[in-house]
Amino acid sequence: MRVGVLERYREWLPVDERTPPVSLLEGSTPLVPSRNIGPALGLERLYFKCEGLNPTGSFKDRGMVVAVAKAMEEGARVLVCASTGNTSASAAAYAASQRLRAIVVVPAGEIAMNKLSQALMYGAKVVALRGNFDEALRTVRELAAHYPVALVNSVNPYRLEGQKTAAFEIVDALGDAPDYLVLPVGNAGNITAYWKGFREYHQAGRCRVLPRMVGAQAEGAAPIVQGRVVEQPRTVASAIRIGNPASWEGATTARDQSGGLIDAVTDTEILQAQVLLASSEGLFAEPASCAPLALLVRLARQGRIDAQSTTVVVLTGNGLKDPDAALGNVEPPVELDGDARALAKALKL
Ligand code: F0G
């Protein structure tokens, strides 16, 4: 029977009998072998970890379930977060399921409409702050320091505890860790969490190798790559439009300890990778999730990935979250009167 993250990885998480059994049956997402992109790049073992199949459509649910359960254990009734969209959807959903209040603060006009609609439908109080994500995060951190609200951003260590379970799942599925783990980097919580997960499994003898951690930022929002805060981050990938990541150090530690790298890709590369992924694998991921594929394509073409290596690309969020960003890059539908002859002619059958 399917179970959520708290149950599946109970002994690896900071929970006990006092922790409420929160679950939307998150986690246990598919690790799909590449049918076409891997062979085209000369990579024998390429996989996609499809985190967009979580209950609210992104990896955030893994961490949110732990953060919410621990907040409830500590008596909280109100959750608060800043978000580029996915965290707000996840916080709102878990709050709804536990009858808690959720307050989500998003940068005004900067998040994908479908993510906003999720937060609103789940019944969160949505505040659109004039400013960017970094300012929204600073604001909610200050709020949580002075008022009785539980902060559920990834600065909350329970979020990272939950998110590390994705690394466990990959090892459990492959029988070992991959050689490369490629993922997007925004606020940098996820790369920090994966590295923690792989290290814990390695220490416990569950995997022999440790992966090289390869992070992708968008060129206009690449503070870690440039080594300095980006005041006005810009990219089509709104989920990772972040100029001053909270887990900056966690990301550079993961990169350096693993012998990996963090590099930037352009918006054009991201959108090309998104179309490539959808049209050649049948996997539709949001733009931020396609940044790592764009980086992998570049590295493979430069011959920097060994053909026999095992590579996992983490598709962090579902493509349906942000269709507007994608639709500029495909042919619009043809409009016709409904008759078979006209249809056949238009299709050149
Ligand atoms: N991919 C997606 C789809 C995201 O929503 C995010 C972050 C990331 C990647 C980057 O992960 O921040 O751990 O490095 N979204 C956050 C949010 C910031 O508010 O939803 P990270």
Side-chain angles (χ1 to χ4, degrees):
M1 213 191 55
R2 200 188 165 108
V3 296
V5 157
L6 286 181
E7 203 171 325
R8 180 165 177 191
Y9 290 109
R10 190 165 189 83
E11 70 264 41
W12 301 87
L13 295 171
V15 294
D16 59 30
E17 65 287 347
R18 288 166 302 183
T19 315
V22 181
S23 169
L24 287 175
L25 300 187
E26 61 291 317
S28 302
T29 56
L31 185 66
V32 177
S34 169
R35 293 187 66 87
N36 297 303
I37 296 175
L41 293 175
L43 303 179
E44 287 173 24
R45 284 184 291 274
L46 173 63
Y47 297 86
F48 298 103
K49 180 69 171 160
C50 296
E51 290 289 278
L53 291 171
N54 274 295
T56 75
S58 85
F59 72 96
K60 304 288 179 180
D61 297 337
R62 291 180 185 279
M64 196 57 68
V65 70
V66 183
V68 170
K70 294 303 284 185
M72 290 174 71
E73 186 183 323
E74 288 157 16
R77 301 292 312 157
V78 185
L79 311 178
V80 66
C81 68
S83 181
T84 56
N86 284 325
T87 299
S88 65
S90 187
Y94 285 88
S97 83
Q98 298 301 317
R99 300 189 170 281
L100 304 174
R101 246 184 103 193
I103 299 164
V104 307
V105 180
V106 299
E110 299 260 335
I111 79 165
M113 176 57 76
N114 292 5
K115 299 178 187 178
L116 186 62
S117 72
Q118 285 182 286
L120 292 168
M121 287 303 295
Y122 294 132
K125 176 75 187 166
V126 179
V127 180
L129 203 73
R130 286 181 214 104
N132 59 32
F133 169 82
D134 302 288
E135 288 158 334
L137 181 58
R138 204 183 316 132
T139 307
V140 295
R141 288 179 91 158
E142 204 177 313
L143 186 81
H146 295 104
Y147 296 88
V149 294
L151 184 64
V152 294
N153 277 106
S154 59
V155 293
N156 176 332
Y158 296 127
R159 278 278 310 278
L160 303 190
E161 289 297 314
Q163 283 173 212
K164 77 184 178 190
T165 61
F168 297 165
E169 285 179 17
I170 290 170
V171 175
D172 290 344
L174 295 176
D176 203 343
D179 300 300
Y180 296 93
L181 192 283
V182 197
L183 81 175
V185 176
N187 213 22
N190 210 29
I191 189 170
T192 306
Y194 266 93
W195 183 234
K196 185 171 200 287
F198 286 122
R199 277 194 350 260
E200 286 183 11
Y201 250 29
H202 189 252
Q203 250 163 19
R206 298 280 182 119
C207 53
R208 281 184 307 113
V209 300
L210 277 170
R212 288 176 193 269
M213 302 294 289
V214 178
Q217 298 205 291
E219 200 171 70
I224 298 175
V225 178
Q226 294 172 0
R228 60 177 173 84
V229 171
V230 175
E231 296 294 342
Q232 310 232 306
R234 276 183 239 278
T235 167
V236 66
S238 59
I240 51 171
R241 196 180 286 149
I242 294 176
N244 188 10
S247 298
W248 192 315
E249 211 184 305
T252 51
T253 301
R255 176 194 65 193
D256 298 342
Q257 286 185 350
S258 73
L261 62 97
I262 299 177
D263 208 344
V265 289
T266 65
D267 279 4
T268 305
E269 287 176 294
I270 289 173
L271 294 173
Q272 282 172 349
Q274 187 182 31
V275 174
L276 176 73
L277 178 70
S279 63
S280 58
E281 300 283 356
L283 301 172
F284 186 19
E286 68 170 282
S289 307
C290 298
L293 177 60
L295 181 56
L296 180 69
V297 168
R298 191 200 291 164
L299 294 172
R301 286 192 181 141
Q302 292 171 342
R304 290 167 68 187
I305 308 280
D306 189 35
Q308 276 83 49
S309 60
T310 302
T311 302
V312 173
V313 173
V314 184
L315 302 178
T316 48
N318 199 301
L320 295 173
K321 290 220 176 224
D322 190 8
D324 293 344
L327 287 177
N329 298 289
V330 287
E331 293 251 334
V334 262
E335 233 175 88
L336 276 184
D337 291 320
D339 119 12
R341 190 186 296 244
L343 184 58
K345 198 168 160 214
L347 296 172
K348 300 192 178 69
L349 289 179

